[in-house]
């Protein structure tokens, strides 16, 4: 640590010199600061206690407001007397502002009043119908098709070439002129429909998957454009052509994704037709989803029938089926039972589709539309499922087998193509279905041979509670399945997903885990293995101890380490880590697992490794309730934090640095060695070397060491032994060595000041001097602009804030006997004088004005605040008149500097700034100066007049200041303010 002496305060030329007589010789002029009696002033500022009878008042009681309102006549010039009502009612002031009305309720009421009422909706029958429909609506607990769409598109891809049969259109489909007869239009549209069936189309071959998707999107856009241009027949042609694509299974692996893309177009078409017919209803139109057949006029019904007749004329089964299903909702315009009658017919039509894959997706689309328009019609959903069971054996027919041989597709891969459709059908059937129906469906699946595909979908779609309650039965069914057709590890994966959401009986949990892991551990493919193991990790963590979890981790390491298979499974391994952290919040238990750290070592890709470390630290900070000194935890988390720190390089963005530093700081704050302060300091020394690239962490460490020094003081009660004093000095040395490594100038300034304050509190005067001198010495390094949240801002406001804090500390810092009177104050003022301030800046003189209250406080016999066991200047000088006179002389110098600046502002037409500074100096003289001094009194009056000369001083502030002076003048020792008050006048700008 730097010794007390001149060499510790380099770069400060004392231009604010001590007076020529120094502290020797005759008494210098009378003091300019008035004598303060802080205790009496504090007493006068305290609020007066008012006796309140018990029960009359309580801050939590309701406010009683007296409401007085006048009822005035409605006619202009009315002479009727006004009557008032007065009441004392407990009112909510926020509610009373709105006079009891909620603006959102008013808006809703106004909106409701604008909605036309239905002509036939007033009957109780209609109300009952709506209530039943609301009860049958699909709730938020039903996963919509849109949630599955993205997964299907990303999962079922191909590198094979694809083809599209595109309708090209002809000149016949141009819109006829307005002068055409009605019969001409009808004949033209019939010809267009014939043209549709006669093959005016072009086949696009050898398309990549990306090109295919682009073409389908273009068709969807063409459909919208044709519809918008009133070419309804062309729009229908596009939909029919797209529907035909669903009969093509030439690239069978892509079929589920093709189904998603084509049904998007069908959904668009269905929506356009429905909105078109609804728009034809007579005004006022009913709400789109809440009307009866009676609300539909004849024109809309005729148009609706026309659409169904057009679709019925489609010759091929698959496009006719899909297009009619797309506009199924339009049956509501025709009769009440239209949907109920149509669904069974469409379900029966699907039996005519020979390809089982095409048929199952047609059933899936019909179930999807049925759930959207009539979810209460469960019979149709159940019939689709039972028809699926009846035709399930077609999957293993010779026709299908030959097709797979031609396309070189294995049976397990082929069966997975069915999963999205069967999952959806079963999800629709199982939604809010009674357990009796689910049990019946489960039993029917048992009776089928090679039922692994169905069993997998059942476990996916049925309620997790249902599956968990029968987990042992499902395991038995899985054992009976043929391994060749559908891998058992996929079945156990589906079972594991259900058991992660619902708990089986406690007695069955261990046998279930053992049976599942017997199959999982035999999976040879690392990717298949980790996909299944990742699912069952949650079940293990949820119901078992660290012993079982450690066994699972050991098995994962065994399977994923050979040939560095873990490099292809980082997402699954991250999921395993996330699930472990979800259930294990005791880090002593976590790090005591033998295989946990070796499991972490598999994350060897830097970006993934850092993300895993961040997730560990986030859980630690969130769930660690008490500070820890556990060496296992500390060593492990130091390693984790070091991994995060070492990822920082020149390309790391500031947000990422901030995020990492926040996590590391959270860890540092949770480390505590109790009263073993030396061990705590050793930890901080190690952490400083480990995290040297993150400045925010270094700042946190300095704060931690300062807190450690203060904690030492608290524990020792101020009775420092030689060992304790040495420790505190070691803490100061840590800070003094570390602070210069920081790049942020203001971080260094504030930490020097903070560390100096801590050193003072621990009676380490030499160290305190060193910190404060270092702070003054680096003031010239403060740039004129600094970056704040990515934007360049002036540094003056921050510098002034720091200097004010620094000045308040100097009151308790004793002078060094070898440095002269007020050497730190003079050093600071010298730096302020030499600093290059901004052009047209008043910052320097504002610092001078801020220094005057400090000097006034230093001239008091008893200081406003002191530090226990530290002798401030009040003790060292004991109110020596020479010391007080030196303070007065320094005050005169500062005031002279301010007055010179005021003259400069007058010449430069900076009258607004001149008035502000003059009023600031006046306020300081009023609060701290001895205005019995005639010269000082006259100066104060002159400053008041100058501040009001051009009318820029705020009138409200001036009035309050005069009231304050008047109040102060009532005190005997300040009676002289009465005379001065008479000379202070308010002036306003003309």
């Amino acid at each position: 640590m730097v010794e007390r002496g001149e060499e510790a305060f380099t770069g400060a030329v004392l231009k604010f010199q001590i007076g020529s007589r120094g502290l020797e010789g005759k008494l210098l002029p009378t003091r300019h600061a008035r004598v303060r009696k802080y205790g009496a002033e504090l007493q006068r500022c305290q609020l007066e206690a008012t006796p309140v009878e018990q029960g009359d008042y309580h801050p939590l009681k309701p406010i009683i407001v007296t409401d007085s309102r006048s009822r005035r006549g409605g006619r202009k010039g009315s002479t009727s007397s006004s009557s008032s009502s007065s009441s004392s009612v407990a009112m909510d002031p926020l509610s009373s502002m709105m006079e009891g009305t909620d603006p959102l309720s008013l808006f809703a009421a106004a909106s409701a009043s604008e909605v036309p009422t239905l002509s036939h909706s007033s009957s109780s029958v209609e109300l009952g119908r709506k209530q039943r429909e609301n009860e049958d609506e699909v709730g938020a607990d039903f996963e919509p098709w849109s949630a599955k769409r993205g997964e299907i598109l990303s999962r079922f891809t191909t590198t094979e070439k694809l083809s599209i049969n595109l309708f090209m259109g002809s000149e016949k489909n141009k819109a006829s002129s307005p002068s055409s007869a009605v019969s001409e239009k009808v004949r033209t549209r019939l010809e267009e429909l014939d043209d549709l069936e006669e093959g005016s189309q072009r086949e696009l071959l050898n398309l990549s998957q990306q090109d295919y998707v682009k073409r389908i999107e273009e068709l969807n856009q063409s459909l919208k454009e044709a519809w918008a241009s009133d070419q309804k027949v062309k729009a229908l042609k596009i939909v029919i052509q797209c529907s035909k694509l669903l009969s093509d299974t030439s690239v069978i692996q892509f079929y589920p994704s093709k189904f998603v893309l084509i049904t998007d177009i069908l959904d668009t078409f269905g929506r356009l037709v429905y909105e078109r017919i609804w728009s034809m209803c007579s005004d006022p139109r009913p709400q789109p989803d809440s009307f009866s057949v009676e609300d539909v006029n004849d024109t809309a019904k005729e148009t609706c029938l026309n659409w169904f007749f057009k679709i019925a004329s489609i010759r091929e089964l698959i496009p006719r089926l899909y297009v009619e299903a797309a506009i199924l909702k339009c049956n509501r315009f025709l009769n009440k039972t239209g949907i109920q009658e149509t669904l069974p017919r469409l379900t029966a039509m699907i039996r005519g589709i020979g390809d089982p894959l095409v048929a199952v997706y047609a059933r899936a689309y019909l179930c999807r539309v049925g759930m959207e328009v009539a979810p209460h019609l469960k019979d149709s959903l159940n019939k689709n499922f039972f028809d699926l069971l009846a035709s399930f054996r077609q999957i293993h027919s010779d026709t299908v087998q030959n097709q797979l041989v031609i396309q070189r597709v294995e049976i397990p891969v082929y069966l997975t193509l069915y999963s999205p459709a069967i999952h959806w059908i079963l999800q629709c059937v199982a939604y809010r279905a009674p357990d009796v129906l689910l049990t019946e469906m489960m039993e029917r699946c048992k009776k089928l041979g090679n039922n692994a595909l169905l069993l997998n979908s059942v476990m996916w779609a049925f309620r997790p509670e249902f599956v968990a309650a029968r987990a042992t039965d499902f395991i038995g069914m899985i054992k009976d399945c043929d391994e060749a057709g559908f891998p058992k590890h996929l079945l156990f994966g589906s079972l594991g997903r259900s058991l992660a959401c619902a708990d089986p009986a406690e007695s069955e949990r261990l046998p279930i885990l053992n049976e599942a892991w017997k199959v999982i551990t035999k999976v040879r493919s690392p990717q298949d293995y980790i996909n299944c193991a990742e699912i069952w990790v949650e079940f293990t963590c949820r119901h078992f101890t660290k012993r079982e979890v450690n066994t699972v981790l050991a098995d994962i390491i065994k399977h994923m380490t050979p040939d560095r298979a873990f490099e292809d499974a980082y997402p699954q391994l991250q999921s395993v880590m996330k699930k472990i952290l979800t259930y294990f919040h005791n880090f002593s238990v976590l790090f005591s697992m033998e295989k946990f750290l070796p499991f972490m070592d598999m994350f060897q890709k830097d970006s993934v490794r850092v993300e895993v470390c961040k997730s560990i630290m986030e859980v630690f900070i969130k769930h660690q309730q008490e500070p820890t000194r556990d060496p296992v935890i500390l060593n492990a988390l130091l390693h984790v934090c070091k991994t995060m720190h070492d990822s920082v390089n020149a390309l790391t963005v500031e947000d990422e640095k901030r995020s990492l530093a926040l996590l590391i700081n959270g860890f540092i704050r949770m480390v505590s060695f109790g009263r073993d302060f030396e061990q705590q300091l050793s930890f901080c020394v190690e952490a400083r070397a480990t995290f040297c690239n993150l400045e925010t962490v270094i700042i946190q460490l300095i704060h931690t060491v300062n807190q450690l020094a203060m904690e030492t003081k608290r524990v020792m009660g101020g009775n420092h032994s030689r060992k304790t004093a040495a420790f505190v000095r070691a803490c100061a040395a840590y800070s003094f060595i570390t602070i210069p490594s920081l790049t942020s100038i203001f971080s260094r300034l504030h930490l020097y000041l903070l560390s100096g304050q801590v050193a003072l509190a621990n009676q380490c005067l030499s160290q305190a001097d060193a910190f404060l001198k270092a702070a003054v010495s680096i003031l010239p390094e403060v740039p004129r602009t600094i970056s704040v949240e990515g934007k360049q801002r002036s540094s003056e406001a921050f510098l002034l804030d720091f200097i004010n804090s620094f000045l308040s500390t100097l009151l308790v810092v004793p002078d060094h006997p070898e440095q002269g009177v007020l050497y730190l104050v003079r050093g600071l003022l010298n730096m302020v004088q030499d600093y290059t301030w901004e052009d047209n800046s008043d910052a320097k003189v504002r610092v001078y004005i801020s220094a005057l209250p400090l000097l006034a406080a230093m001239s008091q016999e008893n200081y406003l605040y002191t530090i226990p066991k530290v002798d401030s200047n009040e003790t060292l000088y004991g109110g020596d008149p020479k010391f007080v006179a030196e303070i007065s002389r320094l005050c005169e110098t500062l005031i002279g500097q301010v007055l010179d600046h005021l003259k400069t502002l007058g010449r430069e037409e900076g009258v607004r700034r001149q008035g502000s500074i003059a009023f600031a100096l006046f306020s300081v003289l009023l609060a701290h100066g001895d205005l019995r001094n005639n010269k000082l009194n006259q100066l104060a009056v002159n400053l008041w007049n100058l501040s009001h000369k051009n009318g820029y001083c705020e009138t409200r502030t001036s009035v309050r200041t005069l009231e304050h002076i008047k109040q102060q003048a009532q005190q005997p020792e300040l009676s002289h303010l009465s005379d001065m008050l008479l000379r202070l006048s308010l002036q306003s700008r003309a």
Side-chain angles (χ1 to χ4, degrees), residues 208-449:
S208 65
Q209 178 181 327
Q210 184 177 0
D211 293 336
Y212 188 93
V213 173
K214 183 179 179 181
R215 292 290 184 179
I216 295 296
E217 292 174 349
E218 290 175 354
L219 282 174
N220 201 350
Q221 186 62 31
S222 298
L223 167 64
K224 296 176 183 178
E225 292 173 356
W227 192 273
S229 60
D230 203 27
Q231 300 183 56
K232 304 296 189 297
V233 173
K234 180 180 179 181
L236 179 58
K237 289 179 180 181
I238 293 174
V239 174
I240 294 173
Q241 290 295 319
C242 291
S243 300
K244 286 183 178 181
L245 296 176
L246 292 175
S247 62
D248 177 22
T249 57
S250 57
V251 184
I252 203 166
Q253 303 100 312
F254 187 66
Y255 191 85
S257 293
K258 181 199 291 187
F259 171 79
V260 169
L261 297 171
I262 300 301
T263 52
D264 284 348
I265 297 178
L266 288 166
D267 293 341
T268 301
F269 177 73
R271 186 183 69 256
L272 292 173
V273 172
Y274 184 85
E275 292 174 352
R276 164 72 174 164
I277 299 173
W278 175 78
S279 67
M280 300 176 70
C281 294
S282 59
D283 291 330
R285 293 172 188 159
Q287 291 296 304
D289 296 319
S290 58
F291 65 91
S292 63
V293 178
E294 291 81 3
D295 299 318
V296 184
N297 58 24
D298 292 340
T299 303
K301 288 182 180 180
E302 184 179 351
T303 304
C304 185
L305 281 171
N306 186 33
W307 276 109
F308 280 111
F309 289 155
K310 289 178 183 178
I311 293 170
S313 67
I314 300 174
R315 297 171 186 172
E316 295 185 25
L317 171 61
I318 290 178
R320 184 170 72 251
L321 170 69
Y322 271 102
V323 178
E324 184 173 357
I327 67 167
L328 178 66
K329 189 176 181 180
C330 294
N331 280 279
R332 297 180 60 187
F333 295 108
L334 300 177
N335 55 69
K336 296 180 179 179
T337 60
I339 296 176
Q340 187 173 356
E341 295 170 356
T342 304
L343 277 173
R345 177 172 58 81
L346 295 178
T347 301
M349 287 173 61
I350 298 176
R351 298 173 186 171
I353 301 176
D355 191 312
L357 184 64
V358 177
V360 74
Y361 275 94
R363 296 187 190 282
Y365 185 69
L366 187 59
C367 289
R368 176 155 76 86
V369 175
M371 286 296 289
E372 290 175 358
V373 301
H376 58 286
L377 299 178
K378 302 291 186 183
D379 291 342
S380 175
L381 298 173
N382 297 340
K383 194 169 187 60
N384 267 289
F385 174 70
F386 293 131
D387 280 0
L388 171 64
L389 293 183
S391 61
F392 191 71
R393 290 183 177 85
Q394 292 180 354
I395 295 176
H396 302 281
S397 65
D398 292 341
T399 304
V400 173
Q401 298 298 324
N402 293 335
Q403 183 184 19
L404 297 183
V405 170
I406 294 173
Q407 298 196 34
R408 298 179 181 178
V409 176
E410 300 292 335
I411 280 288
V413 175
Y414 175 69
L415 291 179
T416 58
L417 302 177
Y418 286 81
S419 297
I422 298 179
H423 286 356
W424 179 258
I425 294 171
L426 282 170
Q427 178 182 332
C428 296
V429 172
Y431 182 65
R432 296 181 180 175
D435 285 357
V436 175
L437 177 60
L438 299 182
T439 304
E440 178 188 353
M441 295 167 64
M442 182 177 169
E443 291 301 323
R444 289 204 184 189
C445 291
K446 281 184 180 180
K447 296 177 182 178
L448 290 175

